[in-house]
Amino acid sequence: MIEMSELKQLLINEPGKKLFLLGNEAIARGAIEAGVRVATTYPGTPSSEVGNVLSELAKQAGIYFQFSVNEKVAIEVAYSSAISGLRSFVFMKHVGLNVAADPLMSISYTGVRAGLVVMSADDPSMFSSQNEQDNRNYAELAHIPLIEPSNSQEAKDFLKYAFEISEMEHIPVLFRTTTRVSHQRGMVELGEIAKKEEAGFFKSDPKNFVALPVNSMGLKEGLIKKMERLKTVSDNSRINRIESYGSGKYGIITSGEAYNVLMDTVSKYGLDVSILKLGFTNPLPENMVTTFLKEHENVIVVEELDPFLETRVRMIAQMHSTGTKIFGKIDGYFTFSHEYNPDTVAGSLSRIMGFNVEQVPVEIDSSMLPPRPPVLCPGCPHRATYYAVKRAVKMSNIKDPIYSSDIGCYSLGVYDPYDEADVMIDMGSSIGVGGGFSNATGQKVISFIGDSTFFHSGIPGLINAVHNEANVVLIVLDNRTTAMTGQQPNPGMNINGMGDAAPEVSIEAIVKAIGIQYVKVVDPYDLKSTLLAVSGALRNEGVSVIVARRECAMIRDERMRSKKEWKTYQVDPEKCKLCMNCVEKFSCPAIFIEGGKIRIDQNICDGCGVCAEPYVCPPKAIEEVQTA
C-alpha cells in the first residue's frame, strides 16, 4: 500500500489527474468519488487494503468507517444507513460473504433507499483462504445485480456505476473482485468527488422493511420485476463492450481477471477473435449475448472458477436457437479450479482454435524445490503458547488429544514441531467443533482461537459448549490485534477503525459472564505460569479458558525499536549441550545450526527471550547479547 503522505492524494478533487493505484486503493477512491457516507468491513485478504485506506482517510473524506465485529454485522450496519438515505459500502473477502449471507438474502427483498454496494473479494487459487468459491453465484441466489471490474481504473469507475444501479432500482449490488484485480497496480484517472449527505433520516415503512412472510411474498415479486427491468439496463450498459481483433472469426465471452489473461494470450499469438467483455454480469445482457452468438459460429467462454457465464450463455443459445457451437468448462476445455495464467488459457484455446502454442504448460517437479513452509514470526507469542500446551499435554500424560484450530496466524500451529491443529474449517469453528468432539469422543479437546476471531464468531460456540456441558480447554491467543490481515483493531482494543479512543471489551469478562469458572489470563512469554495454567485446565472438567495475552511481535518490534530498547540473544557454545530442544521443539526461525553448533541469527532475533527460559534451554546457554 502507498505511504500515508501519498494516500492523501486519494482525497484531491482534481478530475483528470492520474494516480498509480492498487486495485483496492482505486476502490477506496471510487467510494470517495461516489459520495459514500458509511463504509463497513471485517478485514480479510484480498479485500483488506480497502479498509486500511478508508481507516486512514475516513474523517477527511467525510465518511463514517467501521471495522465491524464480523461481516454479518458489517452489512447490517451499512444496510441501516442505506435505508436512512446515506450511500453505504460494505466489503469483505469471499468467505466473509458466507457470514453476511443471511441478512443479504433478506435485504435484497426489502431493498434500499440510498445506494448499497456489497463487495466480495474472491480468492482463486486460495492464496490466503481456506477454500476457493465463486461468489458470483450469490448474485443469482439473492437476485441482485453483479458488477465485475478487470483493472484498477475499472475498479474505481465500476464502483461508482454500481451505486447508480443500486439507486436506479433501490436494490443492493454485488461488486466482485478477485485477488489479481484487488492487488494489481495501474494508472487511474480520477473523477469528481460527489457531495455527500450529511445525515440520514429513517422514515418508517414496516411493510417494506419488516421481512415477515406477509410482506416478503409481495417483496419477492417486486424483486423479480426489478431484475427484469435491469436486463434492459445491462443490455445497454456502458461497461459491456465488444472488441475485435482481426476478422473476429471466433467469439470469446469473458469478464473480470480472465479478460486480462485472455488479452495476454490474444496479443502473444495474434488470435483472430472478437471479445464480448462483460462488466455487468447479472443479469446478463441477453440481447447483446444473443446477437454475439448469432454472429459467430464458434463462441468460447473464458472465466475463472465456476461456469457462471457459460451456463447462462448456453441457456441463451438454446432459448434463441442460435445454433452456435459453445466451448468452455462444461465440455472440459477449461478447468473449474484455480486462477488462470496465459499458458493455461493458451493451451485451452489452442485445442479449440487449432493454433500451436509456443510453450506447453510444464508440470513442475515439486521434489526439485526446497520446502519453505510458512512459519510463525520470530518472537510471536503464539509459539510460546503452543510450546507450553504441547509440553503440558505431555506432562499430563494425555493420550490422543484433539486440537481444533481456527482462522488466523495461529493456524500455522498445524506445522511441525507443534502439530496442534487437527481440524480447522472456518471463522469461530474451533469452539463449536471442540464441543462436538467432546460429545462424540472421550478424548481431551483443546481449541485455539484468536482475539479477533473470538469476537467475530467464537462467542456463540462457547455459549453452546457451556450450555451443553462440553469438556473443552479453550486457548484464546490474544495478540491485541487482527494480525493476519494487517493489524486492524478489534473490540478487544481501546481504539476503533477511525483511530479514535474506544471502549475495550474484556474477553475474560465475557467468558466469566457465561458461567465458566476456570479462567486464567497468562503472558505466554512467562512459560512457567502458562504451563501451570494449561496443566490446571487439562485437569479441569467442563469448559476451561486460558487467555494467552501478549501483543503481536510485529507491534512489539516497532515499539521496542522506537524506544531504542532493542535487544537480541546468542548461544554460548561453552554452555550449550546440543540437546537440540530449542531447534527441534521450540523452532524459532532465528535459531539455526552452523558448523555443528547452534546459533541465533541476530538479524531476525526478536529479543523476546523465551528461548532463554530453562523450559526451552535447560543449561541456560542462551543469553542476552551485551552491548558496550
Side-chain angles (χ1 to χ4, degrees):
M1 200 170 80
I2 57 181
E3 299 294 327
M4 181 58 195
S5 58
E6 296 175 319
L7 270 183
K8 290 184 178 178
Q9 295 183 79
L10 295 176
L11 295 170
I12 61 176
N13 197 8
E14 296 180 19
K17 183 179 176 63
K18 293 184 178 179
L19 298 177
F20 191 54
L21 299 179
L22 197 70
N24 280 343
E25 294 165 350
I27 290 168
R29 168 69 188 194
I32 293 169
E33 287 188 12
V36 165
R37 184 66 180 80
V38 174
T40 61
T41 188
Y42 182 82
T45 305
S47 71
S48 298
E49 292 86 359
V50 182
N52 295 344
V53 171
L54 291 179
S55 177
E56 295 285 350
L57 302 180
K59 286 181 180 176
Q60 299 168 74
I63 296 174
Y64 169 75
F65 173 72
Q66 181 181 110
F67 283 118
S68 304
V69 69
N70 63 31
E71 296 85 354
K72 177 178 182 291
V73 174
I75 198 170
E76 289 164 348
V77 171
Y79 166 71
S80 62
S81 301
I83 62 174
S84 299
L86 303 178
R87 277 193 169 184
S88 301
F89 179 40
V90 56
F91 47 98
M92 58 202 73
K93 70 178 298 176
H94 66 301
V95 290
L97 195 51
N98 300 333
V99 181
D102 194 2
L104 178 63
M105 294 302 136
S106 292
I107 67 179
S108 64
Y109 278 47
T110 69
V112 291
R113 284 171 170 153
L116 174 63
V117 176
V118 181
M119 171 182 159
S120 168
D122 291 7
D123 190 16
S125 290
M126 299 162 279
F127 292 103
S128 55
S129 307
Q130 64 269 42
N131 66 34
E132 178 180 72
Q133 62 189 52
D134 191 331
N135 278 1
R136 294 180 298 175
N137 294 299
Y138 270 114
E140 185 170 52
L141 184 62
H143 303 286
I144 58 175
L146 171 65
I147 303 295
E148 293 185 74
S150 296
N151 55 47
S152 296
Q153 182 72 57
E154 290 185 354
K156 178 187 78 72
D157 294 341
F158 285 15
L159 185 71
K160 294 168 63 180
Y161 182 69
F163 277 99
E164 293 177 25
I165 298 300
S166 176
E167 292 180 350
M168 185 183 297
E169 287 292 348
H170 304 287
I171 188 172
V173 173
L174 184 62
F175 187 81
R176 189 243 193 182
T177 68
T178 57
T179 302
R180 298 294 170 185
V181 174
S182 282
H183 289 167
Q184 68 175 268
R185 194 170 285 279
M187 293 303 296
V188 176
E189 182 174 325
L190 304 185
E192 186 171 358
I193 294 176
K195 185 180 179 182
K196 297 176 176 60
E197 293 291 336
E198 289 302 318
F201 178 80
F202 177 70
K203 184 179 179 182
S204 179
D205 183 5
K207 288 186 177 178
N208 214 38
F209 294 113
V210 177
L212 285 171
V214 65
N215 296 329
S216 296
M217 291 179 69
L219 293 173
K220 175 68 182 294
E221 298 306 315
L223 177 59
I224 298 303
K225 290 177 181 175
K226 288 179 181 179
M227 291 299 285
E228 283 294 322
R229 291 194 291 268
L230 284 170
K231 284 183 179 177
T232 304
V233 178
S234 181
D235 255 320
N236 295 288
S237 174
R238 61 180 182 266
I239 69 171
N240 295 328
R241 66 173 186 265
I242 294 175
E243 301 173 5
S244 293
Y245 302 89
S247 64
K249 180 180 179 183
Y250 279 84
I252 299 179
I253 300 176
T254 188
S255 68
E257 170 60 16
Y259 167 78
N260 300 327
V261 180
L262 171 66
M263 289 308 299
D264 287 343
T265 309
V266 170
S267 175
K268 182 175 181 178
Y269 293 97
L271 301 183
D272 184 4
V273 296
S274 290
I275 298 173
L276 176 53
K277 198 273 189 188
L278 298 174
F280 197 151
T281 47
N282 193 55
L284 268 187
E286 186 171 332
N287 290 336
M288 196 175 193
V289 171
T290 303
T291 301
F292 191 78
L293 290 172
K294 288 180 177 178
E295 290 176 348
H296 296 87
E297 187 176 342
N298 298 293
V299 166
I300 306 164
V301 183
V302 181
E303 58 184 329
E304 291 179 330
L305 301 184
D306 294 347
F308 180 85
L309 295 178
E310 182 186 346
T311 303
R312 288 148 188 81
V313 168
R314 288 182 183 275
M315 182 177 68
I316 291 172
Q318 191 273 333
M319 288 172 59
H320 294 273
S321 303
T322 64
T324 316
K325 175 69 174 174
I326 299 171
F327 303 86
K329 296 171 183 286
I330 296 172
D331 50 5
Y333 285 99
F334 293 88
T335 64
F336 281 65
S337 303
H338 311 328
E339 66 175 9
Y340 288 161
N341 61 53
D343 286 338
T344 57
V345 170
S348 297
L349 291 180
S350 69
R351 291 168 56 202
I352 301 167
M353 301 173 67
F355 65 93
N356 294 322
V357 292
E358 294 176 6
Q359 294 179 332
V360 176
V362 177
E363 290 291 333
I364 298 173
D365 182 359
S366 58
S367 65
M368 301 294 288
L369 302 174
R372 296 180 61 188
V375 296
L376 296 167
C377 300
C380 177
H382 301 339
R383 174 178 293 99
T385 304
Y386 278 124
Y387 181 83
V389 170
K390 188 115 183 184
R391 185 161 176 147
V393 167
K394 185 177 181 181
M395 289 167 58
S396 301
N397 198 30
I398 294 174
K399 306 296 182 187
D400 300 319
I402 301 174
Y403 299 104
S404 58
S405 190
D406 224 299
I407 308 297
C409 300
Y410 47 91
S411 59
L412 299 178
V414 70
Y415 293 109
D416 183 68
Y418 317 114
D419 303 314
E420 290 170 66
D422 295 308
V423 181
M424 187 196 77
I425 51 175
D426 63 88
M427 293 284 284
S429 65
S430 63
I431 310 176
V433 168
F437 279 128
S438 172
N439 291 334
T441 76
Q443 296 164 263
K444 196 68 183 181
V445 181
I446 303 168
S447 298
F448 294 96
I449 194 168
D451 48 340
S452 188
T453 312
F454 176 84
F455 290 116
H456 178 282
S457 49
I459 296 171
L462 190 59
I463 293 172
N464 191 66
V466 171
H467 182 68
N468 292 289
E469 301 181 292
N471 185 18
V472 175
V473 176
L474 173 66
I475 313 287
V476 182
L477 298 146
D478 180 5
N479 63 0
R480 317 296 293 152
T481 190
T482 312
M484 180 173 262
T485 53
Q487 301 174 351
Q488 295 85 3
N490 66 53
M493 301 171 67
N494 59 6
I495 189 171
N496 65 22
M498 298 179 76
D500 295 330
E504 183 176 323
V505 179
S506 166
I507 294 173
E508 53 270 33
I510 292 173
V511 171
K512 290 176 181 174
I514 61 177
I516 297 172
Q517 301 297 314
Y518 191 99
V519 182
K520 304 288 183 185
V521 180
V522 299
D523 177 355
Y525 280 7
D526 182 348
L527 282 180
K528 181 178 180 180
S529 65
T530 305
L531 272 167
L532 288 172
V534 176
S535 297
L538 293 173
R539 290 192 298 272
N540 188 53
E541 289 294 318
V543 179
S544 310
V545 174
I546 296 170
V547 182
R549 179 169 293 147
R550 165 66 74 161
E551 65 188 338
C552 171
M554 295 179 70
I555 296 174
R556 176 179 172 276
D557 288 356
E558 186 177 352
R559 178 170 53 81
M560 299 292 283
R561 288 180 191 275
S562 66
K563 291 182 177 179
K564 300 187 184 306
E565 294 177 350
W566 190 253
K567 61 182 179 181
T568 58
Y569 284 76
Q570 63 185 2
V571 179
D572 183 342
E574 300 298 323
K575 295 180 181 177
C576 180
K577 306 298 183 186
L578 289 174
C579 69
M580 308 303 285
N581 192 59
C582 62
V583 175
E584 297 177 351
K585 296 181 180 177
F586 189 65
S587 197
C588 174
I591 303 174
F592 66 103
I593 300 172
E594 184 180 68
K597 296 184 182 298
I598 297 174
R599 299 187 185 281
I600 294 178
D601 186 343
Q602 300 299 306
N603 293 312
I604 63 173
C605 174
D606 174 81
C608 69
V610 178
C611 60
E613 291 261 352
Y615 295 97
V616 178
C617 183
K620 298 183 178 179
I622 299 177
E623 42 192 43
E624 186 178 333
V625 174
Q626 299 297 321
T627 55

